[in-house]
Amino acid sequence: MEIPEGLGGKIFKGCGCISIGIVLMLILVIVIGICVDDEETTDEKKEEQKTEQVEKKDSVVVNAPLEGDPYKELDELIGLEQVKEEVHSLANFVKIQKQREKKGLKIPKMSLHLVFTGSPGTGKTTVARIVARIYKDLGVLKKGHTVETDRSGLVANYVGQTATKTNAIVDSALNGVLFIDEAYALVPTANKNNDYGQEAISTLLKRMEDDRDKLVVIVAGYTKEMNRFIDSNPGLKSRFNRYINFPDYTSGELKDIFKMYVRKNQYSLTPDAEQYLKTRLDSAVKHKDRNFGNARYARNIFEKSIQRQANRLSNEKNPTAKQLTELTVSDIREAFYK
């Protein structure tokens, strides 16, 4: 069959129009898809930001149990000799009671809840995480994770919301350890009719009884304030009868902590820098106040020292490995001044 002259061109042109139309439709679909994706991504980001803000506001941190030997990690902590001894003693007691239970022997009622007393930065949170893992190793807890919070994570701003908020935190800590830092803040020094701290305490005590086989609570804070906290409620006294005191670090221990950060992060100290560090830490400990940060103070000095080193080397075109790792006395001095 013969195709009339010019018909092929018309068909081609027609196909071209159809092709262009299809291409335009595809472009439109892609643009719409991108817009939808952007909206979804924006929504996701908004949700993430919202979650981050809630977590920050409520001061709730969940720590899954780390792998490794918790007993070894406890022993490797700098200082805290009395704390280590008491934790080992507690572990031995629980271990023997578990063995008695397996043999069908009577075991005394034992409270595994703990009160950690001491200044900030003395290792209370670190030891709480280790205790959770030890309890898991001994079969007391199934998960051995820690949920760390403070007053803001438990207390709401309106009537009837604190119990719900506290119960949610407890639920997340079941089969692990609930660590409440600065727990004394739940009992304000002044009588406030609109304070809901006592509601959080009452809710917590009920859950400690109802979930006694799968919940361990560790409360922490300054010694004097924690005594006031425990004395504020008879239920707290009956459930918290094991106290572990965390002493302030000596200047020598703070130096060891600083050098631990140096070693772990592949830095080194010049001899005069190390001597200057010792002198300044001796002075800091001698003149410390109640809010002295202990290990946090040593960590902050280290972080400021490496920042000072970075500033010092910023104009070096090709610094050597020694320069990149070495902290000088000027770096340490500047860190203390800052």
Side-chain angles (χ1 to χ4, degrees):
M1 179 179 177
E2 255 187 56
I3 299 176
E5 188 178 346
L7 184 58
K10 291 179 181 178
I11 292 172
F12 176 78
K13 288 179 182 177
C15 290
C17 292
I18 293 171
S19 299
I20 292 170
I22 292 172
V23 171
L24 289 173
M25 287 180 66
L26 286 171
I27 291 172
L28 184 61
V29 169
I30 291 170
V31 169
I32 292 171
I34 290 172
C35 292
V36 171
D37 286 343
D38 284 345
E39 288 179 3
E40 289 178 352
T41 302
T42 302
D43 290 340
E44 287 175 4
K45 287 182 178 178
K46 286 180 179 178
E47 191 62 34
E48 287 176 4
Q49 290 172 355
K50 182 180 178 182
T51 302
E52 288 172 1
Q53 289 171 358
V54 169
E55 289 178 351
K56 184 177 180 182
K57 179 182 177 182
D58 290 351
S59 301
V60 179
V61 179
V62 179
N63 283 283
L66 299 174
E67 297 296 327
D69 184 350
Y71 303 93
K72 182 180 178 183
E73 288 183 28
L74 177 68
D75 292 335
E76 289 177 348
L77 293 176
I78 294 171
L80 304 177
E81 299 308 321
Q82 185 63 35
V83 172
K84 296 174 188 177
E85 184 179 330
E86 292 193 43
V87 172
H88 276 295
S89 178
L90 173 61
N92 291 337
F93 175 76
V94 175
K95 180 181 178 180
I96 294 302
Q97 298 313 310
K98 283 288 183 180
Q99 290 178 351
R100 286 176 57 88
E101 186 179 29
K102 286 182 180 179
K103 300 291 185 183
L105 300 171
K106 289 183 178 180
I107 57 172
K109 282 190 69 176
M110 54 181 180
S111 174
L112 300 179
H113 309 297
L114 298 167
V115 180
F116 287 176
T117 60
S119 302
T122 48
K124 297 186 291 295
T125 304
T126 299
V127 173
R129 295 171 186 169
I130 292 174
V131 167
R133 291 162 60 199
I134 288 175
Y135 279 167
K136 179 186 177 184
D137 179 71
L138 295 170
V140 174
L141 298 171
K142 289 182 179 179
K143 293 182 180 178
H145 65 298
T146 57
V147 175
E148 300 161 16
T149 190
D150 56 17
R151 175 189 165 90
S152 65
L154 301 170
V155 178
N157 296 322
Y158 304 100
V159 177
Q161 293 183 349
T162 293
T164 301
K165 195 173 183 180
T166 301
N167 276 319
I169 297 297
V170 172
D171 286 341
S172 68
L174 291 178
N175 298 307
V177 165
L178 175 60
F179 178 76
I180 307 174
D181 198 15
E182 298 180 348
Y184 53 82
L186 293 170
V187 183
T189 51
N191 291 325
K192 296 182 179 180
N193 295 328
N194 61 341
D195 186 84
Y196 307 119
Q198 286 294 346
E199 183 182 354
I201 293 173
S202 298
T203 304
L204 181 63
L205 289 173
K206 184 177 186 305
R207 292 300 300 273
M208 289 170 71
E209 178 61 28
D210 294 346
D211 300 296
R212 57 184 175 275
D213 295 329
K214 51 184 176 181
L215 175 68
V216 170
V217 180
I218 299 177
V219 292
Y222 288 110
T223 303
K224 182 179 178 182
E225 283 81 349
M226 289 307 297
N227 288 334
R228 176 175 63 82
F229 168 70
I230 298 298
D231 290 342
S232 71
N233 189 304
L236 292 173
K237 273 189 174 182
S238 65
R239 288 170 177 81
F240 291 101
N241 52 30
R242 293 179 180 273
Y243 289 69
I244 298 180
N245 181 59
F246 288 68
D248 284 1
Y249 286 104
T250 65
S251 59
E253 290 168 343
L254 291 179
K255 180 184 172 185
D256 289 341
I257 291 171
F258 185 97
K259 291 176 71 175
M260 174 192 70
Y261 286 117
V262 167
R263 189 169 57 255
K264 283 186 174 181
N265 293 279
Q266 293 187 309
Y267 285 91
S268 63
L269 285 168
T270 62
D272 56 343
E274 185 167 351
Q275 180 57 46
Y276 181 81
L277 175 68
K278 179 184 182 304
T279 301
R280 289 304 302 264
L281 288 175
D282 286 344
S283 176
V285 169
K286 184 177 180 181
H287 298 97
K288 67 183 178 184
D289 60 16
R290 190 169 184 265
N291 298 316
F292 182 66
N294 285 284
R296 295 173 195 167
Y297 179 79
R299 184 187 64 200
N300 289 339
I301 295 299
F302 168 75
E303 291 175 352
K304 290 175 182 177
S305 296
I306 61 175
Q307 180 63 58
R308 166 59 187 164
Q309 185 226 39
N311 292 337
R312 177 170 55 80
L313 296 177
S314 61
N315 293 324
E316 293 284 342
K317 291 184 179 180
N318 188 24
T320 64
K322 182 181 179 182
Q323 286 177 306
L324 290 169
T325 58
E326 193 172 66
L327 296 176
T328 66
V329 67
S330 65
D331 299 327
I332 307 298
R333 182 184 295 113
E334 187 71 15
F336 276 98
Y337 285 149
K338 293 293 183 183

